Amino acid sequence: MTARTSSENAREIPEATVARLPVYLRALVTLADDGIPTCSSEELATAAGVNSAKLRKDLSYLGSYGTRGVGYDVDYLRYQIAREIGVTKDWPVVIVGIGNLGHALANYSGFRSRGFQVVALLDADPAQHGEIVAGVEVQPFDRLEEIVAAADVAIGVIATPAAAAQSVADRMVGCGITSILNFAPSVLAVPDGVDVRKVDLSLELQILAYHEQRKSQTGALLADGGAA
Amino acid sequence: MTARTSSENAREIPEATVARLPVYLRALVTLADDGIPTCSSEELATAAGVNSAKLRKDLSYLGSYGTRGVGYDVDYLRYQIAREIGVTKDWPVVIVGIGNLGHALANYSGFRSRGFQVVALLDADPAQHGEIVAGVEVQPFDRLEEIVAAADVAIGVIATPAAAAQSVADRMVGCGITSILNFAPSVLAVPDGVDVRKVDLSLELQILAYHEQRKSQTGALLADGGAA
DNA sequence: TCATGTGAATCTTTTCACAGCT
DNA sequence: AGCTGTGAAAAGATTCACATGA
């Protein structure tokens, strides 16, 4: 669920494809780490958990980076996807709300290694201020504007309780942040041009519960759809 | 598979709809908490962050729970959706991997209040054993089978490093778990009939980065939205 | 010979627009 | 008079299957 941005671009990559590019990138990094120089669409698709037709169609939106009869050069394709996503350099990120989840996010090494740098941790609660988490000091939320301006931050992460999320989002938007990753279980209202992605833990579990309930009922057939 | 061939099964709910039911449920809970007894599709859609046509179409797969000319009874619709999802009673859940993220998950109150009960916290690292997190003791991973059998656990959460995720999933599947929520950044191979959902924090940020990069390029398509 | 890249077909999801019920 | 519920149309995503070019 991202904001629509229309525009007639020849390079218009479908949203479903965009959502898979990071998966491909991670699979390529793993292959590269294993010393594999080249792969077929079949191999990469397996590593990424999709089928090869979908993979090839997805990659075709980026360009022709493979070699017919051979496959893909792992490093080359990896670079092309990283460039397309925009993670060839690090993005500065602020995290607001340093509770349990905020701590976990701040400590999550995957951010650093995948194109993001946590430049500030902010919390409204004075009791938290001064604590050092993953090498970064927790500061008052009121310093948001100052920090965003100084580090040219475009991406904000909200890990506050639901009640605070909208006002945090408003402040973020007000100081120029245009992408928000929201872990609070609330729907955010933001202006056009601001992207919001939501991660909701209990929502994911509820989707599993739905399918789980189906499985235990009837017993006629397991059905399912493969997931992932 | 499936073959929408005739036969009963009038109850086939599209996956896209299933993924939104928990969102509607949460919106309804909020409305109920605010003391609102009735709402229109327009109001509920706004609260859920979707448009009203989509909401009505989604609800139509469950049945006819509204009243034409009036709207929906909040409590009644809430119960119907909860029943459809299968969260009218609690599901027992085990969490494996009690690092930063595992701690945050164990402490996350949203699980308890939304249909899930954390019955065990498991970790392979003996240094963690015995610690009490959110009132639950961290136990050795080897007790998995015993605990799953005793509490009839169907849903497992993996919050381990990527390297351990597949072997944890194998053990879970081996003892009868058929739904897995995976926070480790790795693709899990599981048999048919087992559902896996993945939450990948840096993947979400990378999707935002893609759109962010687009915004800063060209500059032509910045705000737009209503304009064009 | 072989695997990519891609039109065409199929399936899914969203949106439209209004008939039908309160 | 108004809002739901739903066919039908449109848009989007996936899969098929093979021409294409290394």
Side-chain angles (χ1 to χ4, degrees):
Chain A
M1 47 172 79
T2 34
R4 188 89 309 211
T5 317
S6 67
S7 130
E8 311 280 332
N9 213 327
R11 283 278 148 162
E12 199 50 48
I13 299 180
E15 193 55 36
T17 296
V18 170
R20 283 187 295 266
L21 292 180
V23 179
Y24 302 152
L25 179 56
R26 176 166 287 158
L28 286 165
V29 169
T30 303
L31 291 176
D33 287 350
D34 290 351
I36 297 170
T38 276
C39 68
S40 66
S41 65
E42 193 63 45
E43 290 163 334
L44 179 53
T46 299
V50 302
N51 70 53
S52 63
K54 193 187 282 182
L55 172 80
R56 289 201 303 280
K57 177 65 92 178
D58 283 342
L59 295 184
S60 77
Y61 293 114
L62 313 192
S64 279
Y65 296 134
T67 308
R68 289 171 199 243
V70 179
Y72 302 93
D73 181 277
V74 170
D75 283 332
Y76 180 62
L77 183 57
R78 170 187 174 176
Y79 172 74
Q80 293 300 339
I81 293 180
R83 191 177 51 74
E84 191 70 44
I85 296 177
V87 289
T88 49
K89 58 166 176 48
D90 273 9
W91 290 88
V93 167
V94 299
I95 299 176
V96 176
I98 313 302
N100 283 305
L101 182 58
H103 271 88
L105 294 174
N107 278 303
Y108 179 47
S109 61
F111 285 170
R112 285 219 152 85
S113 65
R114 286 179 234 287
F116 303 93
Q117 194 203 344
V118 177
V119 296
L121 304 174
L122 306 178
D123 202 296
D125 178 7
Q128 305 274 349
H129 301 158
E131 189 193 350
I132 308 290
V133 182
V136 179
E137 183 186 355
V138 179
Q139 298 183 70
F141 177 57
D142 281 330
R143 299 198 57 197
L144 177 71
E145 286 76 6
E146 174 189 341
I147 287 163
V148 166
D152 199 19
V153 175
I155 301 177
V157 176
I158 299 179
T160 65
Q166 182 63 58
S167 67
V168 170
D170 291 343
R171 284 278 292 271
M172 284 182 168
V173 170
C175 65
I177 283 178
T178 46
S179 289
I180 295 174
L181 182 55
N182 180 28
F183 286 90
S186 58
V187 174
L188 297 182
V190 296
D192 279 355
V194 176
D195 280 303
V196 176
R197 292 195 67 87
K198 195 178 147 184
V199 175
D200 188 325
L201 312 181
S202 61
L203 190 147
E204 298 293 333
L205 277 184
Q206 291 188 340
I207 295 171
L208 286 174
Y210 171 84
H211 292 294
E212 199 53 50
Q213 181 180 232
R214 291 261 134 165
K215 289 176 201 165
S216 53
Q217 275 170 4
T218 77
L221 43 83
L222 290 174
D224 128 72
Chain B
M1 48 188 72
T2 86
R4 55 57 212 285
T5 44
S6 61
S7 108
E8 61 326 343
N9 225 1
R11 293 270 133 169
E12 197 51 46
I13 300 182
E15 194 54 36
T17 295
V18 170
R20 281 187 296 264
L21 292 180
V23 180
Y24 302 153
L25 180 56
R26 176 165 288 158
L28 285 165
V29 170
T30 303
L31 291 176
D33 287 350
D34 290 351
I36 297 170
T38 277
C39 66
S40 66
S41 66
E42 193 62 44
E43 290 163 334
L44 180 53
T46 299
V50 303
N51 68 55
S52 64
K54 193 186 284 182
L55 171 80
R56 288 200 306 276
K57 177 64 94 178
D58 284 340
L59 294 185
S60 76
Y61 293 113
L62 312 193
S64 280
Y65 296 135
T67 307
R68 291 173 201 239
V70 178
Y72 302 93
D73 181 278
V74 170
D75 283 331
Y76 180 62
L77 183 57
R78 170 186 174 176
Y79 172 74
Q80 293 300 338
I81 294 180
R83 192 179 49 75
E84 191 70 45
I85 295 176
V87 290
T88 48
K89 59 170 176 47
D90 272 10
W91 290 88
V93 166
V94 298
I95 299 176
V96 176
I98 313 301
N100 283 304
L101 182 58
H103 271 88
L105 294 175
N107 279 302
Y108 179 47
S109 60
F111 285 171
R112 285 218 153 87
S113 65
R114 286 178 234 289
F116 305 93
Q117 194 202 342
V118 177
V119 297
L121 304 175
L122 306 178
D123 201 296
D125 177 8
Q128 307 273 349
H129 301 159
E131 188 193 350
I132 308 290
V133 182
V136 180
E137 183 185 357
V138 179
Q139 299 184 70
F141 176 56
D142 282 329
R143 301 198 57 197
L144 178 72
E145 285 77 6
E146 174 188 340
I147 287 163
V148 166
D152 198 20
V153 176
I155 301 177
V157 175
I158 300 179
T160 66
Q166 182 63 57
S167 67
V168 170
D170 292 344
R171 284 277 292 274
M172 284 181 168
V173 170
C175 64
I177 282 178
T178 46
S179 288
I180 295 174
L181 181 56
N182 180 29
F183 287 89
S186 58
V187 175
L188 297 183
V190 296
D192 278 356
V194 176
D195 279 304
V196 176
R197 293 194 67 88
K198 196 178 147 187
V199 174
D200 189 325
L201 312 180
S202 63
L203 189 146
E204 298 294 332
L205 277 183
Q206 290 187 341
I207 295 171
L208 286 175
Y210 171 83
H211 292 293
E212 199 54 49
Q213 183 181 229
R214 289 262 137 158
K215 289 176 201 165
S216 51
Q217 279 169 3
T218 75
L221 42 88
L222 239 184
D224 90 276

